[in-house]
Amino acid sequence: MTTTSPPHDADLSSIEETRAALLDRVEERLRSFIAQEQSRWFDINPRAAQGADAIAAFIASGGKRLRPKFCLSGFLAAGGSPASSGAVDAAAALELLQTFILIHDDIADNSSLRRGEPTVHEVFAAEHRARGWQGESRRYGEGVAVLAGDLAFVYADQLAAQLPALSRGVWNELRAELVIGQHLDMVVAAEGVGDPVLSRWIAVQKSGRYTIHRPLVLGATLAGRPDMAAAFEGYGLALGEAFQLRDDLIDAFGSTEDAGKPTGLDFAEHKMTLLLALAAERDPRVRDLVDRRDGKPWDVELLRKILEETGVRATVERTIAGLVDKACASLATSGLDEAWRHEFSRLATQVAYRSR
């Protein structure tokens, strides 16, 4: 794994403390913004506040805050002022965008848990059942949750409204890539397309660019350094692919307790992940198992067994390590100072080798 020589502890502490202070401001911005929305809609009618209430609960449930962290890291590494309110709003907007996509994703994946708690659509469906309301509880829960996700998307754009032109362009591209990537993820799963090239492209679009690359570039442009886009693209795309591969491994082999959400959902929903596409390319047994047009469930345990036997799991681990090396090496000629190069190396390891 590529590493840089550790800089002075004081430099690293300064980076972490400055970013932590900004992340605290992001949390406060999210809390105060959503609280204001809850209040104004509640005053009209308590039911009108349910969407904002769901967003508030979702954000309060935790999350890794990776996108705000990378946005602020790009901003600070590019020389942005810690006093900036624009960077705080941009980072908060990214977390609201993440709220939007995860609420929708849980519906698409038929997931009952997120961060160890019932998903938004399950909460609303349970309320419908408990109160004996008219109609179908599942459809009600999913419909109301979709609207809560839409509201999070609206709020994200409100916080991003004051972005300067260059940053706004990055924001717009980020949102489009995310939605198109999610769309393709669903369509390819439905069609049963086992194409590693396409699967890799989808992983890059819906995860790599959205999670790391675009937030970094968004932060850099806010700091007035769009010239850093190329270096952050090399880092972000390589690390983003490693991030998605780790996600695939967690879903395939991890536990629900550790992940905070049901694992095995990619298999259950016939998702042609990058992991599975690579396996299908190597072993005809995998192709036979996933190439089903009759809509019947895949044999999940047999798939896991074959992935182990064929060495695909080990191959993916080696691929992740290589991608981390590639990400870190891409910053060698970026002009970043030693402390920031070391910090980005640390973040790469943290992201690529997480357990949830």
Side-chain angles (χ1 to χ4, degrees):
M1 182 182 301
T2 299
T3 58
T4 57
S5 299
H8 294 300
D9 290 343
D11 294 333
L12 294 175
S13 295
S14 176
I15 284 173
E16 293 182 16
E17 288 172 6
T18 302
R19 187 179 56 212
L22 279 171
L23 284 168
D24 285 344
R25 288 173 58 195
V26 170
E27 294 297 321
E28 177 55 28
R29 182 72 169 109
L30 287 167
R31 189 203 63 75
S32 61
F33 179 86
I34 300 301
Q36 184 177 15
E37 289 297 302
Q38 289 175 278
S39 177
R40 82 181 183 101
W41 291 116
F42 186 89
D43 287 346
I44 294 172
N45 187 289
R47 299 176 187 85
Q50 288 177 333
D53 291 344
I55 294 169
F58 192 95
I59 289 173
S61 70
K64 293 181 281 291
R65 303 295 195 259
L66 283 179
R67 292 146 198 89
K69 181 178 286 188
F70 276 110
C71 177
L72 294 174
S73 294
F75 176 75
L76 293 171
S81 169
S84 170
S85 59
V88 169
D89 276 359
L94 285 167
E95 193 58 33
L96 281 166
L97 192 64
Q98 175 72 346
T99 300
F100 145 73
I101 202 63
L102 289 184
I103 291 174
H104 284 198
D105 207 34
D106 285 339
I107 297 169
D109 289 346
N110 195 30
S111 179
S112 60
L113 290 176
R114 170 70 64 177
R115 298 168 183 167
E117 300 291 336
T119 49
V120 174
H121 64 279
E122 286 288 343
V123 169
F124 282 119
E127 181 184 25
H128 186 280
R129 285 192 296 271
R131 295 183 181 274
W133 289 340
Q134 300 179 66
E136 184 183 345
S137 296
R138 180 190 64 81
R139 290 190 63 187
Y140 173 83
E142 291 179 354
V144 176
V146 164
L147 293 173
D150 291 345
L151 187 61
F153 189 93
V154 171
Y155 288 160
D157 219 33
Q158 286 183 15
L159 287 181
Q162 300 305 313
L163 288 173
L166 277 176
S167 300
R168 185 72 193 187
V170 176
W171 172 253
N172 289 339
E173 192 68 10
L174 178 154
R175 293 183 301 158
E177 287 170 344
L178 171 60
V179 173
I180 295 300
Q182 291 289 116
H183 169 80
L184 282 174
D185 195 35
M186 294 186 66
V187 172
V188 166
E191 293 182 17
V193 178
D195 181 351
V197 174
L198 180 57
S199 293
R200 180 179 181 276
W201 190 89
I202 292 170
V204 167
Q205 293 302 308
K206 78 183 188 72
S207 185
R209 292 191 185 276
Y210 163 64
T211 302
I212 301 161
H213 168 214
R214 296 297 184 195
L216 282 169
V217 175
L218 180 62
T221 58
L222 281 169
R225 292 290 306 278
D227 57 293
M228 295 188 68
F232 281 150
E233 180 175 16
Y235 174 88
L237 292 185
L239 184 55
E241 189 173 345
F243 174 90
Q244 185 57 51
L245 284 171
R246 179 59 59 194
D247 250 12
D248 292 350
L249 288 175
I250 290 170
D251 186 80
F253 301 104
S255 69
T256 296
E257 183 179 5
D258 289 339
K261 61 181 180 180
T263 53
L265 284 178
D266 288 340
F267 292 161
E269 296 299 317
H270 297 180
K271 290 286 183 74
M272 190 56 63
T273 63
L274 183 53
L275 169 69
L276 203 51
L278 291 171
E281 194 175 46
R282 291 171 61 118
D283 193 309
R285 292 179 298 169
V286 175
R287 287 198 299 274
D288 291 342
L289 279 169
V290 302
D291 187 20
R292 303 194 59 154
R293 306 304 169 98
D294 56 9
K296 292 183 179 179
W298 290 347
D299 189 329
V300 174
E301 290 309 314
L302 182 55
L303 268 176
R304 287 191 178 118
K305 180 181 177 183
I306 294 173
L307 288 173
E308 292 276 17
E309 288 177 352
T310 56
V312 169
R313 183 178 183 181
T315 298
V316 169
E317 288 288 0
R318 290 193 295 272
T319 301
I320 288 172
L323 287 165
V324 170
D325 282 349
K326 182 179 179 181
C328 296
S330 71
L331 297 179
T333 59
S334 63
L336 288 171
D337 64 32
E338 184 185 13
W340 270 110
R341 290 199 307 274
H342 188 275
E343 173 60 13
F344 281 121
S345 177
R346 188 189 68 81
L347 285 174
T349 300
Q350 184 182 82
V351 164
Y353 295 100
R354 71 196 190 282
S355 62
R356 59 183 303 158

